[in-house]
Amino acid sequence: MTIDADEAARHKAKMEKRKAVQDAEVAGKTIEKGLLIVNTGPGKGKSTAAFGLILRALGHGWRVGVVQFIKGAWATGERKALDAFGDQITWHSMGEGFTWETQDKARDIAAAGRAFEKAKELMADETIRLIVLDELNIALRYDYLPLDEVVATLAARRDDLHIVVTGRNAKPELIAAADLVTEMTLVKHHFAAGVKAQAGIEF
């Protein structure tokens, strides 16, 4: 593909204007704070995105904490890979499986309570800069934890602590308290075509 001189000049002028707008917008952002991030929606990728953010944080030398509220002792690829970072990451799988597997609401509530206590313990550790609360939205959806207490605790995090909450059906109160909310939209899913969960893709 060849570009003539006039087209190249028009493109350069357009990009110069765009750069000026972008630079001005970036310069206007002056606040630095720990974010409450919510990844929700029916589409695949909520936890996957959170684990990608963990990798980014680890690359900057941050200490990271993970609490899994529903998923139990799954041998996941992300856990195996992140174990290589040693003490830079602290990982706690506190769930006992999805509610249709445990079939015991009292047990699920107790497990969620233990997981939230662990989350609060990690929040109090000033060496940790990022915490992922994986599938906390599921625990809140089934009323395993008191919503108001959870939202208030997350909102009261220290100024430099980032927290990511994952799971479908995020509660409106949590969405209102969050700084960043991303909804994963389901357009097409291979499960519908009979493809099973596969190592390296789902876990």
Side-chain angles (χ1 to χ4, degrees):
M1 179 178 179
T2 58
I3 300 173
D4 64 33
D6 287 345
E7 185 180 353
R10 284 193 302 271
H11 177 79
K12 185 173 189 302
K14 182 179 177 182
M15 290 303 107
E16 284 174 348
K17 287 179 183 176
R18 177 141 187 215
K19 178 172 171 22
V21 171
Q22 291 293 121
D23 288 350
E25 187 173 350
V26 169
K29 310 295 190 251
T30 58
I31 300 168
E32 188 170 339
K33 59 171 282 190
L35 301 176
L36 177 56
I37 300 169
V38 176
N39 295 343
T40 193
K44 176 173 166 50
K46 297 173 288 292
S47 296
T48 305
F51 296 136
L53 193 59
I54 285 174
L55 191 60
R56 179 175 289 164
L58 291 168
H60 285 285
W62 293 8
R63 284 201 72 228
V64 174
V66 177
V67 179
Q68 292 189 297
F69 279 77
I70 303 296
K71 296 165 187 168
W74 289 11
T76 62
E78 58 268 23
R79 174 104 190 238
K80 292 175 183 176
L82 293 172
D83 277 348
F85 287 87
D87 290 342
Q88 201 177 342
I89 186 163
T90 176
W91 190 297
H92 306 274
S93 296
M94 309 289 289
E96 297 188 13
F98 291 100
T99 186
W100 59 83
E101 293 171 339
T102 64
Q103 301 174 13
D104 186 335
K105 187 168 185 177
R107 195 169 117 194
D108 291 341
I109 289 171
R114 288 191 299 272
F116 193 57
E117 288 304 312
K118 177 58 69 175
K120 290 192 283 187
E121 180 185 314
L122 296 183
M123 289 175 68
D125 184 341
E126 294 189 2
T127 69
I128 293 176
R129 294 283 310 280
L130 172 68
I131 298 174
V132 171
L133 304 179
D134 192 35
E135 306 290 2
L136 173 57
N137 284 334
I138 305 301
L140 293 174
R141 175 188 180 188
Y142 288 111
D143 298 319
Y144 293 166
L145 294 165
L147 176 62
D148 290 347
E149 179 186 340
V150 169
V151 172
T153 299
L154 299 181
R157 69 196 177 281
R158 68 179 192 273
D159 290 344
D160 67 341
L161 177 62
H162 303 278
I163 297 178
V164 184
V165 177
T166 74
R168 294 178 179 220
N169 302 111
K171 294 283 190 176
E173 294 87 345
L174 179 60
I175 289 173
D179 298 288
L180 171 63
V181 180
T182 299
E183 184 171 10
M184 308 296 184
T185 302
L186 178 61
V187 176
K188 188 175 185 180
H189 203 301
H190 49 280
F191 282 7
V195 180
K196 69 178 185 178
Q198 301 175 81
I201 301 297
E202 273 76 37
F203 59 91

